[in-house]
Amino acid sequence: MINTFKLVRKIPGQKMHVYITIVDDTLVDTGPYSLHKQVREIVKEHPIRNVIHTHHHEDHTGNSAWIEKHIKVPQWIHRAGVIKCMNNTKLPLYRSAFWYNRKSFKPREFENSEFHTKEHTFKIVHTPGHSVDHVIFIDEEKGICLSGDLYLYHSPTSHFAFESVPELIHSLNKALNYNFQEIYCSHGGYLPNGRRLIERKRDYLLDLQGKVLTHYQKGLTPLEIRKMLLPKNRAFQYLSAFENSPMHTIHSIIENS
Protein backbone atom coordinates (compact mmCIF):
# COMPACT_ATOMS: atom_id res chain seq x y z
CA MET A 1 0.00 0.00 0.00
CA ILE A 2 1.22 3.51 -0.85
CA ASN A 3 -0.02 6.46 1.22
CA THR A 4 0.83 10.03 0.26
CA PHE A 5 0.30 13.01 2.55
CA LYS A 6 0.21 16.58 1.27
CA LEU A 7 1.83 19.22 3.48
CA VAL A 8 2.13 22.95 2.75
CA ARG A 9 4.87 25.32 3.84
CA LYS A 10 3.94 29.01 3.62
CA ILE A 11 5.84 32.21 4.24
CA PRO A 12 4.78 35.68 3.01
CA GLY A 13 4.86 35.66 -0.78
CA GLN A 14 5.84 32.02 -1.19
CA LYS A 15 4.23 28.60 -0.83
CA MET A 16 5.57 25.10 -1.42
CA HIS A 17 3.90 21.70 -1.33
CA VAL A 18 5.71 18.76 0.23
CA TYR A 19 4.44 15.21 -0.15
CA ILE A 20 5.33 12.57 2.42
CA THR A 21 5.01 9.02 1.09
CA ILE A 22 4.81 5.78 3.05
CA VAL A 23 5.12 2.51 1.13
CA ASP A 24 3.92 -0.40 3.25
CA ASP A 25 5.98 0.28 6.41
CA THR A 26 8.74 2.35 4.75
CA LEU A 27 8.88 6.15 4.87
CA VAL A 28 10.30 7.86 1.78
CA ASP A 29 12.13 11.01 2.95
CA THR A 30 11.25 12.80 6.18
CA GLY A 31 10.28 16.28 5.00
CA PRO A 32 11.56 19.65 6.26
CA TYR A 33 11.91 20.45 9.94
CA SER A 34 9.65 23.48 9.40
CA LEU A 35 6.80 20.96 9.03
CA HIS A 36 7.90 18.71 11.88
CA LYS A 37 4.56 18.74 13.72
CA GLN A 38 2.70 17.34 10.72
CA VAL A 39 5.43 14.80 9.95
CA ARG A 40 5.45 13.52 13.53
CA GLU A 41 1.69 13.06 13.46
CA ILE A 42 1.94 11.05 10.25
CA VAL A 43 4.70 8.83 11.60
CA LYS A 44 2.87 8.24 14.86
CA GLU A 45 -0.34 7.28 13.05
CA HIS A 46 1.44 5.11 10.46
CA PRO A 47 4.18 3.07 12.16
CA ILE A 48 7.33 2.68 10.06
CA ARG A 49 10.19 0.19 10.11
CA ASN A 50 12.54 1.87 7.61
CA VAL A 51 13.31 5.24 6.07
CA ILE A 52 14.74 5.56 2.57
CA HIS A 53 16.00 8.94 1.37
CA THR A 54 16.08 10.21 -2.19
CA HIS A 55 18.85 12.68 -1.25
CA HIS A 56 20.30 14.72 1.60
CA HIS A 57 18.66 18.14 1.07
CA GLU A 58 17.04 19.69 4.13
CA ASP A 59 13.46 19.43 2.85
CA HIS A 60 13.95 15.67 2.50
CA THR A 61 15.92 14.91 5.70
CA GLY A 62 14.69 17.58 8.09
CA ASN A 63 13.05 15.17 10.53
CA SER A 64 15.53 12.32 10.19
CA ALA A 65 17.40 13.23 13.40
CA TRP A 66 14.14 13.14 15.37
CA ILE A 67 13.27 9.75 13.86
CA GLU A 68 16.74 8.47 14.69
CA LYS A 69 16.34 9.55 18.33
CA HIS A 70 12.72 8.67 18.98
CA ILE A 71 11.61 6.02 16.45
CA LYS A 72 14.96 4.25 16.16
CA VAL A 73 14.48 2.59 12.78
CA PRO A 74 17.13 2.08 10.06
CA GLN A 75 17.55 4.97 7.63
CA TRP A 76 19.18 4.60 4.23
CA ILE A 77 20.72 6.93 1.63
CA HIS A 78 23.10 6.78 -1.34
CA ARG A 79 26.75 6.56 -0.28
CA ALA A 80 27.46 10.10 -1.55
CA GLY A 81 24.95 11.47 0.96
CA VAL A 82 26.07 9.68 4.11
CA ILE A 83 28.73 12.17 5.23
CA LYS A 84 26.56 15.13 4.24
CA CYS A 85 23.90 13.92 6.68
CA MET A 86 26.38 13.52 9.53
CA ASN A 87 26.76 17.30 9.87
CA ASN A 88 24.26 19.98 10.86
CA THR A 89 23.23 22.11 7.90
CA LYS A 90 24.26 25.76 7.64
CA LEU A 91 21.78 27.05 5.11
CA PRO A 92 21.52 30.42 3.37
CA LEU A 93 19.01 32.70 5.08
CA TYR A 94 16.12 32.15 2.66
CA ARG A 95 16.44 28.34 2.84
CA SER A 96 16.73 28.30 6.62
CA ALA A 97 13.70 30.59 6.89
CA PHE A 98 11.67 28.35 4.61
CA TRP A 99 12.74 24.82 5.56
CA TYR A 100 14.81 25.38 8.76
CA ASN A 101 18.23 23.88 9.33
CA ARG A 102 18.51 20.14 9.78
CA LYS A 103 20.33 18.43 12.63
CA SER A 104 22.86 15.71 11.91
CA PHE A 105 21.95 12.05 11.81
CA LYS A 106 23.69 8.83 10.77
CA PRO A 107 22.01 7.04 7.86
CA ARG A 108 23.24 3.80 6.38
CA GLU A 109 24.52 3.45 2.84
CA PHE A 110 22.23 1.42 0.58
CA GLU A 111 23.72 -2.07 0.60
CA ASN A 112 22.15 -3.39 -2.61
CA SER A 113 20.74 -2.17 -5.91
CA GLU A 114 17.20 -2.97 -4.73
CA PHE A 115 15.08 -2.16 -1.69
CA HIS A 116 12.26 -4.47 -0.66
CA THR A 117 9.06 -3.67 1.19
CA LYS A 118 6.22 -6.10 1.86
CA GLU A 119 4.53 -5.53 -1.51
CA HIS A 120 7.22 -3.86 -3.61
CA THR A 121 10.67 -4.45 -5.03
CA PHE A 122 12.28 -1.12 -5.88
CA LYS A 123 15.33 -0.73 -8.08
CA ILE A 124 17.55 2.01 -6.63
CA VAL A 125 18.61 4.21 -9.56
CA HIS A 126 21.29 6.87 -9.06
CA THR A 127 20.10 10.07 -10.76
CA PRO A 128 22.49 12.97 -10.02
CA GLY A 129 22.04 16.46 -11.40
CA HIS A 130 19.87 18.00 -8.71
CA SER A 131 22.24 16.61 -6.05
CA VAL A 132 25.22 14.29 -6.21
CA ASP A 133 23.48 11.62 -4.11
CA HIS A 134 20.01 11.76 -5.67
CA VAL A 135 18.29 8.42 -6.29
CA ILE A 136 14.86 7.31 -7.44
CA PHE A 137 13.06 4.09 -6.62
CA ILE A 138 11.36 2.13 -9.41
CA ASP A 139 9.05 -0.86 -9.10
CA GLU A 140 8.92 -2.10 -12.69
CA GLU A 141 6.44 -4.88 -11.94
CA LYS A 142 3.86 -2.37 -10.69
CA GLY A 143 4.98 0.43 -13.01
CA ILE A 144 5.66 3.10 -10.38
CA CYS A 145 8.53 5.46 -9.63
CA LEU A 146 9.25 7.35 -6.40
CA SER A 147 10.96 10.25 -8.15
CA GLY A 148 12.15 12.57 -5.38
CA ASP A 149 13.19 15.84 -7.03
CA LEU A 150 14.04 14.42 -10.44
CA TYR A 151 10.88 15.73 -12.08
CA LEU A 152 9.42 18.67 -10.06
CA TYR A 153 8.07 20.40 -13.20
CA HIS A 154 8.52 19.95 -16.92
CA SER A 155 9.99 23.29 -18.06
CA PRO A 156 12.36 24.79 -15.45
CA THR A 157 13.72 28.21 -16.36
CA SER A 158 16.25 28.47 -13.54
CA HIS A 159 18.47 26.25 -11.42
CA PHE A 160 20.67 26.35 -8.35
CA ALA A 161 24.42 26.76 -8.67
CA PHE A 162 24.89 23.20 -7.41
CA GLU A 163 22.71 21.70 -10.18
CA SER A 164 23.87 20.44 -13.56
CA VAL A 165 21.49 20.52 -16.53
CA PRO A 166 23.53 18.03 -18.63
CA GLU A 167 23.59 15.62 -15.66
CA LEU A 168 19.85 16.07 -15.22
CA ILE A 169 19.29 15.20 -18.88
CA HIS A 170 21.42 12.07 -18.46
CA SER A 171 19.51 11.09 -15.31
CA LEU A 172 16.12 11.64 -16.96
CA ASN A 173 17.20 9.41 -19.85
CA LYS A 174 18.50 6.85 -17.37
CA ALA A 175 15.16 6.78 -15.56
CA LEU A 176 13.32 6.31 -18.84
CA ASN A 177 15.25 3.10 -19.48
CA TYR A 178 13.02 1.49 -16.83
CA ASN A 179 9.40 0.44 -17.02
CA PHE A 180 7.02 2.75 -15.15
CA GLN A 181 4.10 5.06 -15.87
CA GLU A 182 3.15 6.61 -12.52
CA ILE A 183 5.39 8.75 -10.35
CA TYR A 184 5.25 10.00 -6.80
CA CYS A 185 6.96 13.40 -6.83
CA SER A 186 8.20 14.96 -3.59
CA HIS A 187 6.69 18.34 -4.45
CA GLY A 188 4.02 17.34 -6.98
CA GLY A 189 2.45 14.30 -5.38
CA TYR A 190 0.97 11.39 -7.30
CA LEU A 191 1.15 11.91 -11.07
CA PRO A 192 -0.46 9.04 -13.06
CA ASN A 193 1.08 10.32 -16.33
CA GLY A 194 4.51 10.72 -14.75
CA ARG A 195 6.49 8.99 -17.46
CA ARG A 196 5.19 11.39 -20.08
CA LEU A 197 6.00 14.34 -17.81
CA ILE A 198 9.57 13.11 -17.36
CA GLU A 199 9.87 12.72 -21.14
CA ARG A 200 8.53 16.24 -21.54
CA LYS A 201 11.12 17.65 -19.12
CA ARG A 202 13.92 15.72 -20.85
CA ASP A 203 12.83 17.05 -24.26
CA TYR A 204 12.55 20.61 -22.95
CA LEU A 205 16.04 20.54 -21.42
CA LEU A 206 17.53 18.96 -24.55
CA ASP A 207 16.01 21.72 -26.67
CA LEU A 208 17.22 24.42 -24.28
CA GLN A 209 20.71 22.91 -24.19
CA GLY A 210 20.87 22.89 -27.98
CA LYS A 211 19.82 26.54 -28.23
CA VAL A 212 22.27 27.68 -25.55
CA LEU A 213 25.21 25.90 -27.16
CA THR A 214 24.31 27.15 -30.65
CA HIS A 215 24.23 30.77 -29.48
CA TYR A 216 27.43 30.33 -27.46
CA GLN A 217 29.27 28.88 -30.46
CA LYS A 218 28.17 31.94 -32.42
CA GLY A 219 29.97 34.15 -29.90
CA LEU A 220 27.16 35.32 -27.63
CA THR A 221 28.01 35.75 -23.95
CA PRO A 222 26.14 33.82 -21.24
CA LEU A 223 24.36 37.03 -20.21
CA GLU A 224 23.24 37.72 -23.79
CA ILE A 225 21.99 34.13 -24.10
CA ARG A 226 20.11 34.42 -20.81
CA LYS A 227 18.42 37.66 -21.92
CA MET A 228 17.43 36.03 -25.21
CA LEU A 229 16.20 32.64 -23.98
CA LEU A 230 15.27 33.11 -20.30
CA PRO A 231 14.56 36.82 -19.87
CA LYS A 232 12.20 36.77 -16.90
CA ASN A 233 13.06 36.66 -13.21
CA ARG A 234 10.49 35.08 -10.94
CA ALA A 235 9.71 35.83 -7.31
CA PHE A 236 11.75 32.87 -6.09
CA GLN A 237 14.89 34.17 -7.78
CA TYR A 238 14.67 37.42 -5.79
CA LEU A 239 13.79 35.54 -2.59
CA SER A 240 16.86 33.32 -2.99
CA ALA A 241 19.11 36.31 -3.70
CA PHE A 242 19.66 34.66 -7.09
CA GLU A 243 21.16 31.48 -5.67
CA ASN A 244 18.45 30.07 -7.93
CA SER A 245 18.81 31.83 -11.27
CA PRO A 246 18.52 31.42 -15.06
CA MET A 247 22.21 32.37 -15.21
CA HIS A 248 23.06 29.15 -13.39
CA THR A 249 21.08 27.27 -16.04
CA ILE A 250 23.09 28.89 -18.84
CA HIS A 251 26.47 28.43 -17.15
CA SER A 252 25.67 24.81 -16.28
CA ILE A 253 24.98 23.98 -19.92
CA ILE A 254 28.04 25.78 -21.25
CA GLU A 255 30.47 24.46 -18.63
CA ASN A 256 29.28 20.85 -18.41
CA SER A 257 28.17 19.90 -21.93
Side-chain angles (χ1 to χ4, degrees), residues 9-21:
R9 173 62 176 153
K10 296 180 181 179
I11 62 172
Q14 194 70 27
K15 177 175 71 173
M16 181 74 80
H17 296 142
V18 176
Y19 290 82
I20 299 296
T21 299

Side-chain angles (χ1 to χ4, degrees), residues 55-67:
H55 59 302
H56 72 279
H57 286 167
E58 67 277 1
D59 53 325
H60 295 258
T61 58
N63 297 286
S64 299
W66 179 84
I67 288 175

Side-chain angles (χ1 to χ4, degrees), residues 7 32-43 63:
L7 310 179
Y33 189 72
S34 57
L35 296 172
H36 67 275
K37 292 182 180 179
Q38 297 94 316
V39 173
R40 291 178 189 182
E41 289 177 3
I42 291 168
V43 171
N63 297 286

Side-chain angles (χ1 to χ4, degrees), residues 210-232:
K211 290 176 179 177
V212 169
L213 294 177
T214 295
H215 290 305
Y216 186 66
Q217 289 162 4
K218 290 180 178 179
L220 273 66
T221 67
L223 182 59
E224 290 171 332
I225 296 170
R226 180 253 199 268
K227 289 180 178 179
M228 179 181 295
L229 298 179
L230 304 170
K232 294 183 179 180

Side-chain angles (χ1 to χ4, degrees), residues 1 4-6 26 31 38-39 42 50 57 63 68 73 75 81 86 122 137 149 167 170-171 179 190 203 211-212:
M1 179 179 292
T4 299
F5 307 88
K6 180 180 179 180
T26 296
Q38 297 94 316
V39 173
I42 291 168
N50 292 283
H57 286 167
N63 297 286
E68 180 178 76
V73 298
Q75 301 191 58
M86 294 173 68
F122 290 103
F137 306 98
D149 282 354
E167 268 199 331
H170 177 76
S171 290
N179 176 47
Y190 171 66
D203 293 345
K211 290 176 179 177
V212 169

Side-chain angles (χ1 to χ4, degrees), residues 107-253:
R108 304 178 185 183
E109 174 186 337
F110 285 117
E111 297 174 345
N112 302 298
S113 60
E114 294 182 344
F115 190 89
H116 298 266
T117 69
K118 182 179 179 181
E119 300 292 338
H120 296 270
T121 296
F122 290 103
K123 289 183 171 65
I124 303 170
V125 183
H126 187 210
T127 50
H130 174 67
S131 71
V132 65
D133 61 326
H134 195 282
V135 300
I136 59 176
F137 306 98
I138 300 176
D139 182 339
E140 290 195 283
E141 181 180 349
K142 294 182 171 60
I144 63 173
C145 172
L146 312 177
S147 62
D149 282 354
L150 179 63
Y151 169 63
L152 296 181
Y153 32 81
H154 53 70
S155 53
T157 59
S158 65
H159 290 83
F160 291 99
F162 54 75
E163 293 182 295
S164 167
V165 172
E167 268 199 331
L168 279 169
I169 292 171
H170 177 76
S171 290
L172 291 162
N173 275 323
K174 188 176 182 180
L176 291 167
N177 286 329
Y178 294 86
N179 176 47
F180 67 91
Q181 294 299 325
E182 307 167 8
I183 68 173
Y184 290 80
C185 175
S186 294
H187 297 287
Y190 171 66
L191 301 170
N193 61 334
R195 183 180 188 86
R196 178 64 195 118
L197 293 173
I198 286 179
E199 290 173 342
R200 187 173 176 184
K201 180 174 184 176
R202 185 270 317 272
D203 293 345
Y204 165 82
L205 289 177
L206 276 173
D207 181 67
L208 179 63
Q209 178 178 248
K211 290 176 179 177
V212 169
L213 294 177
T214 295
H215 290 305
Y216 186 66
Q217 289 162 4
K218 290 180 178 179
L220 273 66
T221 67
L223 182 59
E224 290 171 332
I225 296 170
R226 180 253 199 268
K227 289 180 178 179
M228 179 181 295
L229 298 179
L230 304 170
K232 294 183 179 180
N233 285 319
R234 303 184 185 277
F236 185 65
Q237 275 86 68
Y238 293 102
L239 180 65
S240 71
F242 293 95
E243 182 182 338
N244 182 284
S245 167
M247 282 303 299
H248 293 316
T249 304
I250 302 301
H251 282 297
S252 169
I253 291 172

